[in-house]
Amino acid sequence: MSIADKQLQRREILTKAVCGKGRKFSTVTHTVTPPHHPTSILGAWIINHQYEAVRSGDGIEVIGTYDVNIWYSYNKNSQTDVAKETLSYVENVPLSYLDPKHRASTEEVAAEATQEPNCIEANISSSGTSVIIRVEREFAVELIAETKVVVAVFPSAYDDGKDIDFGDDGDFEDLDPDLLDDEL
């Protein structure tokens, strides 16, 4: 064992960190039945999206709602109306990475809609009484918890009471100021 190995020690630091991550893209189908038999679809959109995340088994569940608005014509395209319906969903997002040594009692979860729910297709059903819509959505989730991080420590560097020299004496005259990032 070299002298450097004898001087090197390790410490475990307890810290809060991202201990799990996941992402899921999905396409779902909903059926909305307006009060009148639709003749044609003039537009379909989703508004008022709200959601929350909870830990569930091996993943994170995103539980949410959104309002579907379908503008349609009826009565042989002589009148229009908007069908409104609030839909709820539960999306289970598996964790592609999970630190097995995190403290489960300190878990917090977070979700972000990387693609807000969006209506990509709306068609009148074969029976002619309802509208079938396809919705895309995507979520990225994180599990945050306390975990241990191991760091290297050089205790002999502090023994003499002097500052540690990490090599550079702070001479910055040779730096090109045009390379500095102004947005920092």
Side-chain angles (χ1 to χ4, degrees):
M1 184 180 281
S2 71
I3 295 174
D5 290 337
K6 290 178 184 176
Q7 293 176 346
L8 180 65
Q9 294 181 5
R10 67 181 202 136
R11 297 283 190 273
E12 292 180 348
I13 298 173
L14 184 62
T15 186
K16 189 179 270 192
V18 175
C19 296
K21 284 187 170 204
R23 179 179 291 267
K24 184 174 182 183
F25 174 84
S26 62
T27 303
V28 294
T29 303
H30 299 290
T31 302
V32 177
T33 305
H36 310 285
H37 296 304
T39 305
S40 63
I41 307 300
L42 304 173
W45 62 98
I46 295 173
I47 59 172
N48 299 328
H49 182 220
Q50 297 178 348
Y51 60 92
E52 64 180 26
V54 296
R55 179 84 155 103
S56 174
D58 291 339
I60 294 175
E61 281 187 348
V62 180
I63 303 164
T65 61
Y66 45 76
D67 296 337
V68 175
N69 293 293
I70 300 171
W71 182 31
Y72 67 99
S73 67
Y74 63 96
N75 216 9
K76 297 182 183 177
N77 289 328
S78 64
Q79 296 177 320
T80 65
D81 198 2
V82 176
K84 300 175 185 178
E85 192 168 319
T86 300
L87 301 173
S88 59
Y89 65 89
V90 176
E91 189 78 63
N92 188 16
V93 182
L95 296 174
S96 58
Y97 161 75
L98 179 62
D99 176 2
K101 296 189 176 188
H102 73 277
R103 290 188 173 181
S105 63
T106 64
E107 288 180 347
E108 300 172 23
V109 293
E112 177 186 359
T114 53
Q115 179 175 327
E116 290 287 336
N118 182 37
C119 181
I120 57 171
E121 185 178 16
N123 295 310
I124 299 171
S125 67
S126 58
S127 66
T129 59
S130 58
V131 177
I132 300 168
I133 63 167
R134 284 187 37 221
V135 176
E136 286 182 336
R137 58 185 184 227
E138 183 179 36
F139 292 98
V141 297
E142 290 183 336
L143 181 133
I144 300 146
E146 288 182 2
T147 189
K148 288 182 182 178
V149 178
V150 177
V151 296
V153 179
F154 300 91
S156 63
Y158 296 103
D159 290 347
D160 60 5
K162 296 180 184 176
D163 289 336
I164 299 174
D165 182 13
F166 289 105
D168 189 8
D169 62 357
D171 187 14
F172 298 110
E173 284 80 30
D174 294 337
L175 290 178
D176 183 359
D178 294 331
L179 295 178
L180 296 176
D181 190 359
D182 292 335
E183 295 181 15
L184 291 179

